[in-house]
């Protein structure tokens, strides 16, 4: 059993049913929630708009689950032999819950689908095999009830890696070796984070299945700098000698030459005394790729900032100083590093721009830490509410990191951040509860070794019980999403209300907030909004009525236009009444588009129906693009090609009428 969406802290709430099917989800904030029931072999069941009042238990939330359809088949290699213990995963053709199954000894698998719709199958990280599927291509997408899927995996050629000393060409027999895929689209998150401990290898050799040009090999060996290099084609054919695993035949050989590593040494003190057991984190620092270019005002957006170390050499290393504050980090590759130092009652210090040269130690000398500065405070919440679970984040301005987090765990709302250097900070209380509809930000300036106390008073933000009545042609409109657009840095509440069969949407929103209610179609297009701004009274009730007067909006391409297999239409609508700088953006992808899972709409023919749109005048911008996988691992994963000319014009939509936009 799962609570859909999120609440303070971004955490979900999950529990399991008892033997008799009963369940209890505890510690929920007040509001209208969706509860989901998930079970292997059954379709996911959902009950929406479950009202959870403050300090009360809601019962009678019952589910009647239906048997799930399935997709089944067989996974074999190119010779037809079954492949066991391979994970086959599926993604629904629209957005939603994925599902998978593991192949048995005979290569068979069964996937019970939580949603009754086609699923795209894929296999990744199958040891010794090429990846298969996983891109929502028509040939790997199967409807529910398909029981004869046959997946043929291509074996990856084995490569003999020979590790030698770069200076002497003698074998290096103690090392750890790992393989990682070459990142697509320039992404390289979490690569080489799990490298095994070095072990002995006879003659300095190891044989592994590896994909030339598509994987990188990383090597760690005591006394040497890490090496990270692309798996090469069979540039060094070996002699026809027995392989290490006993099979005969020639294998492609790649020689990995290791150079001696450098080192960083130093000693950490606080107030002139050694800081015993100080915590150190060493990782790669950013450098200017082109030193002749001036730095950007915003380093997060500076395309000229990069690294001169790979992921393996620049991986995060955690170590501790000795009792006398001394430290030494060995086996470092040449490049630029950053050392972050923390210690008891000391201010964190970051020493960047540390240049390491090959085969030589660099002594940083004595590194003096200052006494810590601290930020403490409390979050005060409305009566009957709890601050437990609220999250705060403290970020030093100008720092290239995401700061520190603190989750409130006590009813008094107390929080504390220690180990801080002096400087300017932003303290953010994250949105989540009904009384925290938007991020709350406080600016804090800390003197060196000083302190600051911050009290965030939300007592005037007690939840407001809202009732929104939505009418279409004077009749109740069920199933319409209602959004609260409030005046704040964050645009709207992420979890919209939904009208019931009587056209009523109920829920709790942040009291004291000012904004407008907006009725939206499944596509995200606005259908109606409050005539003027409203203020929700804290701890009270508020009612609103939205009347939908809408027309239909249609895009029509020329008669000879061919819809691409993978494509997307981008639509932007701007109403004169919308807040400054805001617009409604809609994507209409084809079934083969990578954006298909994010949109309720589909582009299937030259006539594209966008659905209903509130009557009025709009500034419209429409563009159509064909998408194709990028041919280079650098840059975006997909390349786009414009189809025709974009349309930019003013339009008028009349209630009850259809507005057709002719695309060139």
């Amino acid at each position: 059993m799962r609570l859909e969406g999120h609440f303070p802290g971004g955490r979900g709430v999950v529990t399991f049913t008892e033997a008799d099917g009963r369940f209890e989800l505890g510690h929920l904030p007040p509001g209208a929630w969706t509860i989901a029931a998930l079970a292997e072999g059954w379709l996911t069941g959902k009950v929406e708009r479950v009202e959870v009042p403050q300090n009360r238990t809601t019962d009678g939330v019952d589910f009647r689950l239906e048997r799930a359809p399935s997709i089944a088949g067989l996974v074999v290699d190119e010779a037809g032999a079954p492949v066991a213990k391979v994970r086959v995963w599926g993604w629904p053709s629209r957005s939603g819950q994925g599902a998978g199954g593991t192949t048995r000894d005979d290569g068979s698998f069964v996937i019970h689908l939580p949603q009754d719709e086609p699923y795209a199958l894929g296999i990744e990280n199958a040891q010794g095999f090429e990846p298969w599927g996983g891109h929502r291509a028509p040939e790997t997408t199967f409807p529910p009830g398909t029981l004869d899927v046959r997946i043929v995996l291509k074996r990856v050629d084995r490569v003999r890696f020979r590790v030698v000393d770069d200076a002497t060409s003698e074998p290096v027999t103690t090392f750890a070796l790992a393989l990682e895929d070459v990142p697509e689209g320039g992404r390289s998150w979490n690569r080489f984070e799990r490298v095994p401990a070095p072990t002995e290898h006879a003659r300095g050799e190891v044989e592994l299945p590896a994909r030339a040009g598509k994987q990188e090999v990383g090597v760690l060996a005591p006394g040497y700098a890490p090496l990270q290099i692309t798996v090469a084609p069979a540039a060094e054919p070996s002699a026809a000698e027995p392989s290490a695993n006993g099979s005969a035949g020639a294998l492609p050989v790649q020689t990995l030459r290791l150079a001696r590593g450098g080192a960083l040494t130093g000693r950490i003190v606080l107030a002139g005394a050694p800081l015993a057991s100080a915590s150190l984190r060493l990782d790669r620092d950013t450098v200017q790729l082109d030193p002749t270019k001036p730095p950007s005002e915003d380093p997060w957006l500076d395309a000229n900032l990069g690294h001169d170390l790979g992921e393996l050499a620049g991986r995060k290393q955690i170590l501790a100083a000795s009792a006398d504050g001394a430290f030494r980090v060995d086996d470092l590759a040449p490049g630029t590093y950053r050392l972050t130092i923390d210690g008891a009652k000391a201010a964190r210090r970051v020493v960047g721009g540390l240049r390491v040269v090959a085969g030589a130690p660099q002594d940083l000398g004595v590194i003096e830490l200052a006494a810590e500065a601290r930020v403490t405070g409390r979050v005060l919440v409305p009566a009957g509410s709890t601050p437990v679970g609220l999250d705060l984040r403290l970020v030093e301005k100008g720092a290239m990191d995401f700061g520190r987090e603190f989750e409130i765990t006590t009813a008094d709302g107390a929080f504390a951040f220690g180990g801080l250097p002096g400087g300017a900070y932003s303290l953010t209380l994250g949105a989540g509860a009904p009384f925290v509809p938007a991020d709350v930000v406080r600016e804090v300036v800390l003197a060196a070794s000083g302190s600051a106390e911050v009290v965030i008073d939300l007592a005037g933000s007690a939840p407001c019980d809202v009732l929104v009545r939505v009418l279409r042609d004077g009749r109740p409109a069920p199933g319409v999403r209602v959004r609260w657009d409030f005046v704040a840095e964050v645009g709207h509440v992420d979890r919209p209300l939904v009208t019931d069969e009587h056209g009523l949407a109920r829920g709790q929103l942040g009291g004291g907030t000012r904004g407008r209610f907006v009725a939206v179609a499944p596509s995200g297009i606005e259908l109606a909004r409050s005539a003027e701004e409203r203020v929700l009274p804290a701890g009270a009730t508020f009612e609103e009525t939205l009347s939908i007067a809408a027309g239909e909006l249609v895009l029509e391409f020329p008669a000879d236009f061919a819809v691409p297999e993978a494509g997307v239409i981008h639509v932007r609508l701007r109403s004169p009444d919308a807040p400054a700088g805001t617009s409604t953006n809609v994507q209409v992808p084809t079934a083969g588009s990578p954006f298909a899972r994010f949109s309720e709409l589909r582009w299937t023919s030259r006539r594209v129906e966008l659905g209903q749109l509130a009557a009025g005048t709009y500034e419209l911008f429409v563009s159509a693009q064909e998408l194709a996988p990028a041919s280079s691992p650098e840059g975006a994963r997909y390349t786009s090609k414009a189809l025709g000319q974009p349309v930019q014009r003013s339009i008028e939509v009349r209630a009850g009428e259809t507005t057709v936009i002719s695309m060139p």
Side-chain angles (χ1 to χ4, degrees):
M1 307 303 301
R2 185 176 70 193
L3 181 76
E4 299 289 85
H6 67 278
F7 69 99
R11 298 172 288 116
V13 180
V14 177
T15 190
F16 295 92
T17 55
E18 303 291 344
D20 61 358
R22 295 181 180 274
F23 70 92
E24 180 176 311
L25 285 169
H27 306 289
L28 304 185
W33 298 94
T34 296
I35 312 296
L38 303 90
E40 181 75 16
W42 301 84
L43 286 173
T44 297
K46 292 186 180 182
V47 177
E48 298 181 336
R49 302 185 296 277
V50 177
E51 293 291 338
V52 181
Q54 186 79 33
N55 298 325
R56 287 175 54 189
T57 298
T58 300
D59 55 16
V61 183
D62 298 329
F63 292 81
R64 185 179 297 275
L65 300 184
E66 299 178 15
R67 285 285 182 183
S70 60
I71 295 176
L74 192 67
V75 179
V76 298
D77 65 11
E78 294 169 293
V83 181
K85 297 181 176 58
V86 167
R87 186 69 169 165
V88 185
W89 191 258
W91 296 263
S93 55
R94 295 180 182 269
S95 61
Q97 184 182 347
T102 301
T103 58
R104 305 182 183 95
D105 290 341
D106 62 356
S108 64
F109 69 91
V110 177
I111 301 175
H112 297 289
L113 307 180
Q115 299 172 200
D116 192 4
E117 61 180 279
Y119 270 65
L121 304 186
I123 297 176
E124 297 180 1
N125 303 320
Q127 185 67 31
F129 293 94
E130 295 276 1
W132 177 90
H135 298 291
R136 286 188 169 81
E139 62 270 18
T140 64
T141 301
F142 303 92
T146 304
L147 305 179
D148 58 352
V149 176
R150 183 178 177 86
I151 299 174
V152 179
L153 297 183
K154 180 182 179 182
R155 289 191 179 273
V156 175
D157 293 333
R158 296 179 69 83
V159 175
R160 177 176 297 154
F161 295 103
R162 179 173 294 148
V163 183
V164 302
D165 184 294
D166 184 49
T168 66
S169 295
E170 291 296 315
V172 176
T173 59
T174 303
F175 61 86
L177 188 145
L179 292 163
E180 293 281 1
D181 289 345
V182 172
E184 294 183 4
R187 289 179 290 274
S188 56
W189 296 104
N190 304 323
R191 297 200 322 141
F192 293 107
E193 281 197 338
R194 294 183 178 89
V195 178
T199 57
E200 285 295 317
H201 299 272
R203 298 186 300 175
E205 295 180 350
V206 63
E207 295 175 12
L208 291 172
R211 294 182 290 143
K214 297 181 180 180
Q215 287 185 305
E216 288 184 331
V217 56
V219 185
L220 293 179
Y224 294 91
L227 176 68
Q228 179 180 335
I229 191 171
T230 302
V231 176
E236 303 177 46
S238 68
E241 57 188 38
S243 66
N245 65 4
S247 61
L251 288 177
V253 175
Q254 183 170 359
T255 300
L256 307 174
R257 310 189 72 88
L258 303 186
R260 292 293 176 178
L264 288 173
T265 64
R267 192 165 68 91
I268 303 168
V269 300
L270 173 64
L275 186 58
S277 303
S279 173
L280 298 97
R281 185 185 74 206
L282 184 72
D283 56 3
R284 59 183 182 175
D285 202 359
T286 55
V287 297
Q288 284 189 289
L289 302 177
D290 184 351
T292 64
K293 292 183 178 180
S296 170
E297 293 183 2
D298 186 349
W300 288 97
L301 303 178
D302 193 346
N304 193 38
L305 284 182
H307 303 282
D308 56 8
L309 289 163
E311 293 96 336
L312 181 61
R315 71 196 184 283
K316 181 171 62 178
Q317 300 185 62
I318 304 296
L319 56 151
S322 61
D324 62 354
F327 68 89
R328 180 183 178 95
V329 190
D330 288 304
D331 303 339
L332 299 178
T336 308
Y337 294 82
R338 173 181 59 182
L339 183 66
T340 302
I341 308 168
D342 290 288
K345 298 184 178 181
R348 170 178 290 179
R349 182 170 176 184
V350 179
V351 184
L354 300 176
R355 289 287 304 165
V356 170
V357 297
Q362 179 183 354
D363 186 7
L364 303 180
V366 175
I367 301 176
E368 178 82 34
L369 300 190
E372 68 174 344
R374 293 177 60 84
V375 174
T376 60
R378 294 174 62 198
V379 177
L380 307 179
V381 299
S385 303
T386 176
V388 173
L390 293 177
D391 274 340
L392 297 109
R393 183 185 297 272
L394 186 70
V395 178
E396 185 177 7
K397 293 188 175 181
M400 290 288 288
D401 60 39
F402 297 103
R404 309 184 191 193
E405 292 184 345
F406 187 97
E407 180 183 337
I408 294 177
T409 58
T410 58
D412 63 356
F415 63 86
F417 293 91
L420 303 172
Y425 293 82
S426 287
L427 177 66
T428 302
L429 172 65
F435 50 84
V436 196
D439 289 353
V440 178
V441 182
R442 298 287 186 269
E443 304 299 330
V444 182
V445 177
L446 279 176
S449 306
S451 63
E453 183 176 10
V454 179
V455 176
I456 300 177
D457 190 353
L458 303 175
S461 301
C464 174
D465 292 307
V466 301
L467 174 64
V468 182
R469 180 178 293 102
V470 181
L471 304 175
R472 181 185 279 114
D473 300 326
R475 297 181 179 181
V480 176
R481 289 187 294 173
V482 178
R483 196 177 67 209
W484 173 238
D485 278 5
F486 53 86
V487 180
E489 203 170 309
V490 179
H492 58 266
V493 177
D494 290 334
R495 183 171 52 86
L497 311 175
V498 181
T499 58
D500 58 19
E501 64 272 20
H502 305 294
L504 302 177
R506 298 180 175 88
Q508 289 188 317
L509 298 173
T513 55
R514 178 168 53 92
R516 300 173 190 251
F517 289 100
V518 181
V520 294
S523 64
I525 293 177
E526 289 188 12
L527 300 176
R529 66 167 44 226
S530 303
E532 57 187 28
E533 288 184 350
R534 315 295 193 195
V535 177
L536 301 183
T541 60
F542 187 87
E543 295 188 12
E544 173 76 299
T545 297
L546 298 177
S547 295
I548 296 176
E552 300 282 340
L553 185 60
V554 173
L555 306 178
E556 200 165 79
F557 288 85
D560 59 349
F561 182 83
V563 177
E565 178 180 331
V568 63
I569 301 172
H570 298 280
V571 180
R572 185 172 68 243
L573 292 159
R574 172 87 169 85
S575 169
D577 298 330
T582 64
S583 61
T584 298
N585 297 284
V586 179
Q587 288 185 337
V588 189
T590 63
S593 165
F595 303 108
R597 63 179 300 192
F598 305 113
S599 177
E600 300 269 347
L601 302 175
R602 279 295 175 274
W603 184 12
T604 60
S605 67
R606 67 182 190 87
R607 181 180 172 89
V608 182
E609 297 180 354
L610 298 178
Q612 287 195 320
L613 174 65
T617 58
Y618 298 87
E619 290 296 323
L620 172 72
F621 176 84
V622 185
S623 65
Q625 296 175 331
E626 182 177 13
L627 305 175
S631 58
S632 167
E634 300 298 326
R637 179 175 292 188
Y638 287 87
T639 59
S640 61
K641 181 179 72 173
L643 299 175
Q645 296 298 316
V647 171
Q648 186 168 5
R649 53 177 284 196
S650 297
I651 64 170
E652 181 178 2
V653 177
R654 294 187 175 91
E657 298 183 10
T658 299
T659 301
V660 179
I661 306 299
S662 296
M663 298 294 295

